[in-house]
Structures are given as C-alpha cells and as structure tokens.
Amino acid sequence: MTKKLNILIVDDHPFIIEAYKNTIAGYHPSEFEFNITQANDCKSAYNIITNPDVASYDVAFFDISMPAYEEKNILSGEDLAKLMKKTLPNCRIILLTMHTESLKINNIIKTINPNGLIIKNDLTFDELLNAFDKILKNENYYSQTVVKFVSQNTGENALIDEFDRQILHHLSRGVKTKNIPLHTSLSLSAIEKRKLNLKELFDIRDGGDDEDLLREARNRGFV
C-alpha cells in the first residue's frame, strides 16, 4: 500500500515547478503517492497556507525570490517559510535560492532553520532527489555551496530581520524614508536607526545614501 504525501511547491517559474514535480514523481513510485499543489507568487501561496480547509502539507518547497504580497507583509519565500512553520509546524521546509552571498545564506539558516537549503546553481536531478530523500527521512539537507558557507568561520553574527527586509523592500519600490512608517509598524526614528545599522553591516562608508544601501542589499540578495 502506498503512502500518501501532500507537497506544496511555490516558485514563480512554471518550468521549474514542472521539473520539481517530475523529479518527485520518480521517487519510489511504488511506495509513495504524491498530491502536489503549486503556487506562483506570495499571495497565492499565502492563501493556500492559511486556508483552514486545506489538508496538512508534509513537505513544502519555497523559492526565496518571488512577487510579494505587500498587504500581508509577505515579501519572499522566507516569509512564507516562517508562516508555514507557525501554521503547520510539522511540515518539512525546503528553501531554494539563486543567491550565493555568505551573509544571506547564514541569515536564512539562523532565522528560519529550514530542513533543506539548496542553491539553484547546485541543483541537478540527482541533487534534488537526494535532498528529497533525506528530508523524508527527517534529515536536514544543505547543498554543497551552502555547506561551504556554513563551514566558513565568517564571524557574521548580525541578522537581517523582518523589519530590516521591509525597509529595504519599500526603499526599492521608491518609497521615501519619511513615508515608510505608513507601510510598517516602525517609527521614523527606528527606521533611521535600522538603516544606519544596515549600512554598517554592509560596510557602507559614512555618506552612503539610499542608492548605496540598495545596491549592496541587491548584491547580497536581500532585495
């Protein structure tokens, strides 16, 4: 008798979703039956995760970079992963990203601690199958680039939290700093302080403006 598993795949590239689905379908088909749900942006994924009538998910794949759902402050796959952990804490989460910046990777691990973290440049058919196999066996899986960053003694203990990412997101959308309090629960003084902390973390020298901050945030995968 086959074991039934519910899988959620969230990615804004349909051909990547199909590749994931084809890979999963080839995993011990005589032992497992997979019910796969897909979403292409943060809003549709949010609605799936928060729908009380939806069955519990066993494994969820989230791409990090996707169209945001600003009304709910769901700006990326990271936010969806956090939401899933709150809503369905037993669901095993695999995050996938194109970003290969050490600070970004370590930040994801420290703030989310996913069951799997894969750099897309590392991804092959065999890599995805191996990751899926380990996740189903309740083991964590990091792709080779992630392992390299984790093993390095970077000394980076600072974290980019939810509010920092909201500030960067709104700045990238052209919102002026003085108007960001209209979009978040932070005061203007708190926003200014956080911007200074981000500039220090990104090694932006005195006099750096918002464009300098955004350029570094993009280079490091936070926007």
Side-chain angles (χ1 to χ4, degrees), residues 196 199 204-210 212:
L196 288 174
K199 288 178 181 179
I204 298 173
R205 297 181 180 180
D206 292 342
D209 58 15
D210 287 351
D212 295 319

Side-chain angles (χ1 to χ4, degrees), residues 109 113-119 122 127 131 134 140-147 150:
I109 293 171
N113 189 28
N115 302 93
L117 180 56
I118 301 173
I119 305 297
D122 294 338
E127 179 94 4
K134 287 184 178 295
N140 287 349
Y141 183 84
Y142 294 161
S143 68
Q144 58 184 3
T145 302
V146 176
V147 171
V150 171

Side-chain angles (χ1 to χ4, degrees), residues 39-51:
N40 301 104
D41 54 37
C42 288
K43 182 176 182 178
S44 56
Y46 175 91
N47 290 335
I48 291 170
I49 295 170
T50 58
N51 183 349

Side-chain angles (χ1 to χ4, degrees), residues 122-152:
D122 294 338
L123 197 59
T124 64
F125 176 83
D126 290 336
E127 179 94 4
L128 186 58
L129 268 183
N130 189 25
F132 193 61
D133 178 67
K134 287 184 178 295
I135 296 301
L136 291 186
K137 293 176 179 176
N138 291 317
E139 300 176 26
N140 287 349
Y141 183 84
Y142 294 161
S143 68
Q144 58 184 3
T145 302
V146 176
V147 171
K148 180 183 72 174
F149 286 139
V150 171
S151 64
Q152 291 173 345

Side-chain angles (χ1 to χ4, degrees), residues 17-34:
I17 290 181
E18 289 305 311
Y20 294 165
K21 289 167 66 175
N22 290 336
T23 301
I24 291 169
Y27 181 82
H28 298 299
S30 62
E31 300 177 29
F32 294 94
E33 179 182 340
F34 299 107

Side-chain angles (χ1 to χ4, degrees), residues 168 171 177 192 195-196 198-200 202-218:
L168 293 170
L171 286 174
T177 299
E192 294 284 10
K195 283 176 59 179
L196 288 174
L198 287 168
K199 288 178 181 179
E200 181 178 349
F202 292 164
D203 295 321
I204 298 173
R205 297 181 180 180
D206 292 342
D209 58 15
D210 287 351
E211 286 304 314
D212 295 319
L213 178 59
L214 286 173
R215 182 177 60 253
E216 285 299 319
R218 290 189 180 98

